[in-house]
Amino acid sequence: MEPTELTEHFDIVPAHNDHITGGVIIGDDPETSVLNNYLQMWDMDNVFVIGASAFPHNGGYNPTGTVGALAYRAAEGIIRFREEDGQLVEAQKKKNSKLA
């Protein structure tokens, strides 16, 4: 392996390595996200969505490690949900939100 310098214009598209992400964004406000930090849906307490769909966009690199970490986090949430039932995280409403 030989190190090389990045050119002025770096583009990941020519590699054709697609890691499609996004769709059910993770966040702390149900007005701007679909999942809490346990990957539990805000609107459906008993639904947990595990995968790269929780990302707001693709970071340009293989998301497998992060998806694995999020799967462990979701597993913790599912275990808690079986004991506590309901929302595991209190929503944080943002004041003066630009999306409001």
Side-chain angles (χ1 to χ4, degrees):
M1 194 158 106
E2 295 180 26
T4 59
E5 290 186 32
L6 294 177
T7 62
E8 188 174 312
H9 176 73
F10 178 70
D11 188 359
I12 65 168
V13 174
H16 298 289
N17 244 350
D18 295 336
H19 299 289
I20 307 303
T21 64
V24 287
I25 309 305
I26 191 173
D28 63 359
D29 182 354
E31 296 294 323
T32 59
S33 61
V34 178
L35 307 173
N36 66 29
N37 66 23
Y38 283 105
L39 290 110
Q40 177 187 35
M41 288 189 77
W42 290 112
D43 293 338
M44 301 288 290
D45 292 346
N46 64 340
V47 176
F48 291 77
V49 180
I50 297 139
S53 58
F55 302 154
H57 57 79
N58 187 356
Y61 297 94
N62 189 323
T64 304
T66 307
V67 170
L70 288 173
Y72 275 104
R73 179 67 174 170
E76 291 173 351
I78 292 167
I79 291 167
R80 278 189 56 200
F81 180 78
R82 292 181 64 190
E83 297 167 355
E84 299 174 24
D85 201 12
Q87 276 298 319
L88 301 175
V89 176
E90 186 176 328
Q92 301 294 314
K93 297 286 185 182
K94 305 241 183 333
K95 293 181 180 178
N96 299 326
S97 174
K98 292 180 181 180
L99 296 175

